Amino acid sequence: MDDPDVVVIGAGGDGPAAATRLARQHGLDVLVLEAGAWHGNQKWPQPHADSGGTVSTDPDDLDGKLMDDQITHREADSGDPTAGYLRVGPADHSRAPWFRDLHQNAFIWQVSAVGGTTTHYFGNHPRAYPYAIDEQDHWPDEVSYEDLVPYYQLNEEVTSTQQAPMTAREEVFIEGAKNAGYDMLDSLNVTETGWRPQANAVEVPGRETSNGEPLDSDYDGSFSYDDGFRGDTLVGDHFQGASTPVDAPVREKSRKSSNVGWVPRGLDTNENDDMGNVAVRPNTFVTNINTDDSLGGSEATGVDIRDTWSGDTDTIEADTVVLAAGCIESPRLWLNSGLPDDGWVGKGLTTHWFDWVVGVYDDETVESINPEVKHMDPYVGQNSAVRFDKPGVGGLEDIGMSPGLVSYADYLFTEAGYSFDTPVDPDEPWDTRGYVVGKELKRKMSNYRQTKAILVLTDDLPHQDNGVSLSDNFSDEHGAVPDVRYSPHEEDDRRRDELARIAANIHNEAGASHVHRSEWPPLLLHMQSSMRMGKVLDFAGEAYNVDRLFVADHSALSNGVGGPTPTPARRTRSASPTTWATGTSADSRPSTRAASPPFQFQGASSKST
Amino acid sequence: MTDDTNASTTRRGVMKGVGGLAALSMSGATISDAQAAIDGAVPTDPHTRDTYRAIVDAIVPRTPELEDELGPEHVPGGLDVELEKFLIWDFNHFQEIRSEMVADGDLLSGDQKMPRDMFEFDLDATDTDALDALMDLADLDLLDDDLDEQALQNHLTFGPVNRYKVNFENLDTSTKGAARFERFVKTDDEEYHRVLQNYPYASMFTFVFDLVAAEFLAKGNNEDDPAANEEFPGGGTFTRLSREDRLRCLWTIVDGGAVDRLDDLLSPMVTDVGILKYVVMACNGLHGFGYYTEWSGYGETKTNTPNERVMQVDESEVQSRQQSGYPGPADGYAADWRHAVDGGFDDPDVEDLDLSGDLTGDDVVVGGDN
């Protein structure tokens, strides 16, 4: 695609949704540039060993069996942040990952690849709390929760979002939540406190099976798509890339990460004369956003790129530039491009100020809840299938994962110090906290199959002292590297403590024999708000200070949407800002840029209360 | 990509191998697999190797005392699968330095070039003690008031190392590409020379840990008496600490102000000492990514570049998997499941959406910068 109307920077969680909407609804030609690799595309048969092709526009390039070969489901293969194939770094695996200047006990978890960090994700798809949109000063008045609902519904349809399956692990969580006095919520629009199944972008388990029998403990058929299996296979492999069912075409993989749910839909536009076109080009790092400043203001005109394999550089011109590179790379690129910064570019980063509360259960307890099984087996089912919500404070997610991730998240990631030196307040509902090492670590990991964790997701609020700037010390081939900082504020800590206590109580009410609070330091995942609407962007997602430059990723969010996993909001935003920007009909091309109304939502535009 | 020299089989190496053999025999590996693991070159110098071995030993130790409680498969620890190689490999692949981004000059200037001397380092303690060598490098006559120089001097040792040097190999800033580094480690009777594609952080951090350990002892923060540890003869001050004191010592980097007090002495080693807090996070966390994943099953390919790693042990058979009971990846599981909400979620169309008047939950705490 030599002359795109729009360049989208980043094919992660957000860029493909924005590109697809622009091509399908507005007839625009969109070139999506991605810094990382593309898994499951025939043009890149060895995406980490060989540069492969340049660009893909044909849905027939997608190859699910090739994806199966590349996504091995192994933990170290995939998730090792240095050596894994799902990491932030060049596709060339003989090279180091991209360096970030991080001055604290913290961990940034991102992926550069087509699909971005949704290649890791659990598929959790809850909506924002209406409270976080309609009742907080951190969300602009111009957009109400009701305005967002149609976009949620669209995205839920595209991604097969439905209630997650309850397996042995979830039954234990539900027992604890019920015993603690919480009711089940049956709504997607959460305004009360309670527990509910996750709304997951994962197809129903065993939608069809190879022998026509239901998928349950008696099922002895194949899990291969070629043998007729459809839907989720109940393996908790979503953090490893989730190429299941094996043999399925890419678009039929059960978990609808961005590379599965949106990218094929984007490429399909090339086979429809009534739509614009979408091209996706991996292995391409955008190093500069070009602007024309000759008329007084600043207007985006295109980008400079660098091929991550050859180092070759080029310039691509476009009528409109959309930044969807994520909460760290979007502001970094902005700042390295020398674009105007009036104090909020890169600032206000939120990350749900996570914590992690672990319960170990004895066999009898699990058996009393699940008479058929003795173990919870955290690797069976979906990684997170049940949750707790408390609008205004945050939420909890029940989590099961493979043991490498469990050992790290449960016992080897903390800000509390080593548990052998870390006292526990006897009034608190956990037995231990901090790092668990040595004999005790091995004892705990020997109980892996009877262990489950609850993730705390705090409704942390944006602060200008958190975020991304340019490093004073380090640069790489793309300019100064990002300097990333996040520290919770007192009110964020108070919310997190309350949620951690609720999580521990749920474990205790379910009969856990030991409860451990990991007391995480900042885990920079679920990042939001570093290029906020109302501060850096207007409500159309267009930069205040650069015309024709839009941000369509989570950095545009004004807050962390209350604590639910940000995925639906991310995709809603990615579908919507550029919709506002480019109008709501196909003939509203960027050349007639939406200078008129700041946003053009279809549907309600007033606040619901 | 890398060359190692002077790898010799020591008695300790053989003893370690015997431990490895015991573990491997339990995990179903063959004797030839075990021998291959023993013969595999340790891709670094003894100071680096033994410092990381001391960390592995503190976090995932051998635990003969768990045999009666949990069974024999719970005896081997991280050293039995050479987990130190995982930590060293990861830190040595932490950051690529590009030739075209390096120049003579000060910190990151307008052209975003990094100063050459940020990545070159020559610590010569041949004719002096370790602290004096560090003070010379840092151009210091006196230490900060918070530091007891005599006590630091008494405790600081880099073990058998008397010279550590890192420099660019044939740096040509007019060409583009990953710079290569030469690393020399000299002991009384051996010299280790290696060329690496990335900055050799793994070794550099071990000297940091020795200095932090010396300060830890100088301040009397240790709970056990330090003593030369015959398991880690290549190590310095850090490896002389007891298992728990090693971890307490690392924690002073995160939550004890150690890097602030030692900033002047550390600066020649690590330009931005704040990243050491991240490094301590990684020292702990890498045990999860290394030991408790299938990494050890790559056998002698485990420190190859990722594309060249090949599983050599069934994933359910690797040591840590036997200890956790995880069967390894599968295509699917036959398991009982149900939907919790009969008929699915209640999701009215927008026009029928009836949100309550007050959406504010209870216990809401106001904050943030609007």
Side-chain angles (χ1 to χ4, degrees), chain A residues 263-286:
Chain A
V263 167
R265 192 175 166 87
L267 297 183
D268 286 347
T269 60
N270 297 298
E271 299 188 332
N272 189 326
D273 293 339
D274 296 332
M275 298 176 179
N277 295 324
V278 172
V280 182
R281 178 173 171 174
N283 307 310
T284 304
F285 204 104
V286 176

Side-chain angles (χ1 to χ4, degrees), chain A residues 48-49 73-77 79-80 82-83 93-97 99 101-107 109 127 130-131 135 137-138 145-146 149-150 153 162-163 165-166 171 186-189 191 197 204-205 215-217 219 223 233-235 246 306 336 344 379-380 390-393 403-404 407-408 412-415 417-418 420-421 435 437-439 441-443 445-446 448-449 461-464 471-477 479-480 491 495 498 532 535 609, chain B residues 1 58-63 65-66 69-70 74-77 86 89-90 93-96 98 100-101 107-108 112-114 118-119 197-198 201 223 244 247-248 251 254 271-272 274-275 277-278 280-281 284-285 287-289 292-295 298 305-307 309 311 315 321 323-327 329-342 344-350 353 355-370:
Chain A
H48 299 294
H73 302 175
R74 291 187 195 126
E75 292 185 273
D77 262 10
D80 181 313
T82 309
H93 253 180
S94 68
R95 294 178 55 195
F99 186 81
D101 204 353
L102 184 61
H103 310 241
Q104 60 186 118
N105 173 26
F107 184 58
W109 221 327
R127 300 177 181 180
Y131 162 77
E135 302 263 353
D137 292 338
H138 300 279
Y145 182 78
E146 285 188 6
V149 167
Q153 290 174 328
Q162 45 101 48
Q163 60 167 318
M166 304 295 111
E171 302 291 1
D186 61 2
S187 172
L188 289 164
N189 309 301
T191 60
V204 68
L215 174 60
D216 58 22
S217 56
Y219 177 68
F223 288 96
T233 69
L234 294 176
V235 289
V246 293
R306 183 182 186 285
N336 268 330
W344 276 94
Y379 51 91
V380 175
K390 185 163 186 175
V393 180
S407 66
Y408 174 72
L412 295 168
F413 187 59
T414 183
E415 61 173 9
Y418 292 87
F420 56 72
D421 278 341
Y435 285 121
V437 297
K439 251 189 314 194
L441 173 64
K442 291 172 87 173
R443 279 201 183 99
M445 288 305 296
S446 78
Y448 161 70
R449 294 182 66 186
L461 294 173
H463 292 277
Q464 200 169 7
S471 171
D472 293 330
N473 295 318
F474 298 107
S475 58
D476 63 17
E477 65 273 32
E491 71 267 12
R495 289 188 172 102
E498 180 188 345
R532 300 172 63 197
K535 299 294 184 188
T609 54
Chain B
M1 186 171 72
I59 295 178
V60 191
R62 282 183 64 76
T63 46
E65 61 271 41
L66 290 181
E69 180 184 334
L70 297 173
H74 293 273
V75 172
F86 183 88
W89 192 94
D90 256 46
H93 291 76
F94 191 42
Q95 185 179 18
E96 177 184 85
R98 308 282 299 177
E100 69 268 28
M101 304 309 294
L107 287 181
L108 214 57
Q112 300 184 335
K113 298 291 178 78
M114 294 178 286
M118 208 160 104
F119 302 103
Q197 179 170 305
N198 304 299
Y201 276 110
E223 298 208 355
E244 291 191 343
L247 302 177
R248 292 185 180 106
W251 195 244
V254 174
T271 301
D272 191 345
I275 68 167
K277 296 181 178 182
Y278 173 85
V280 173
M281 182 285 299
N284 287 280
H287 289 70
F289 294 112
Y292 283 107
T293 65
E294 74 284 349
W295 173 82
Y298 295 127
T305 52
N307 288 326
R309 295 179 187 181
M311 284 303 291
E315 285 158 51
R321 293 281 166 82
Q323 293 173 3
S324 66
Y326 175 57
D331 290 342
Y333 288 115
D336 293 316
W337 66 276
R338 68 178 177 96
H339 274 150
V341 183
D342 291 338
F345 288 110
D346 176 31
D347 183 33
D349 290 337
V350 168
L353 192 63
L355 298 175
S356 62
D358 179 10
L359 298 173
T360 306
D362 42 359
D363 307 322
V364 170
V365 181
V366 176
D369 302 338
N370 292 326

Side-chain angles (χ1 to χ4, degrees), chain A residues 398-548:
Chain A
D398 187 71
I399 306 283
M401 302 188 297
S402 46
L405 292 168
V406 164
S407 66
Y408 174 72
D410 289 15
Y411 304 124
L412 295 168
F413 187 59
T414 183
E415 61 173 9
Y418 292 87
S419 60
F420 56 72
D421 278 341
T422 303
V424 175
D425 183 334
D427 293 334
E428 294 289 8
W430 39 79
D431 303 304
T432 52
R433 62 194 185 102
Y435 285 121
V436 176
V437 297
K439 251 189 314 194
E440 203 46 43
L441 173 64
K442 291 172 87 173
R443 279 201 183 99
K444 285 287 188 300
M445 288 305 296
S446 78
N447 277 317
Y448 161 70
R449 294 182 66 186
Q450 293 107 302
T451 302
K452 74 197 194 83
I454 296 177
L455 175 65
V456 169
L457 305 98
T458 306
D459 180 10
D460 61 341
L461 294 173
H463 292 277
Q464 200 169 7
D465 53 359
N466 285 328
V468 179
S469 56
L470 296 179
S471 171
D472 293 330
N473 295 318
F474 298 107
S475 58
D476 63 17
E477 65 273 32
H478 309 122
V481 307
D483 180 315
V484 185
R485 292 164 194 263
Y486 177 86
S487 292
H489 285 237
E490 190 181 346
E491 71 267 12
D492 306 317
D493 280 332
R494 285 172 58 192
R495 289 188 172 102
R496 185 170 94 146
D497 285 345
E498 180 188 345
L499 292 163
R501 290 183 187 113
I502 293 171
N505 284 336
I506 288 173
H507 278 308
N508 285 322
E509 290 290 338
S513 57
H514 185 97
V515 176
H516 175 75
R517 183 179 179 186
S518 305
E519 216 166 313
W520 276 0
L523 175 62
L524 301 178
L525 180 69
H526 289 202
M527 287 180 278
Q528 297 91 219
S529 324
S530 63
M531 302 285 280
R532 300 172 63 197
M533 282 189 306
K535 299 294 184 188
V536 180
L537 313 172
D538 67 21
F539 308 118
E542 185 172 17
Y544 284 131
N545 291 324
V546 185
D547 290 343
R548 295 178 175 279

Side-chain angles (χ1 to χ4, degrees), chain A residues 239-307:
Chain A
F239 213 78
Q240 284 76 45
S243 186
T244 48
V246 293
D247 302 322
V250 169
R251 69 179 77 223
E252 299 293 329
K253 300 298 185 191
S254 62
R255 183 201 61 172
K256 309 302 181 188
S257 47
S258 170
N259 55 324
V260 170
W262 280 100
V263 167
R265 192 175 166 87
L267 297 183
D268 286 347
T269 60
N270 297 298
E271 299 188 332
N272 189 326
D273 293 339
D274 296 332
M275 298 176 179
N277 295 324
V278 172
V280 182
R281 178 173 171 174
N283 307 310
T284 304
F285 204 104
V286 176
T287 55
N288 199 66
I289 296 170
N290 296 320
T291 56
D292 178 356
D293 301 339
S294 63
L295 297 176
S298 188
E299 184 172 288
T301 59
V303 296
D304 293 334
I305 59 167
R306 183 182 186 285
D307 184 294

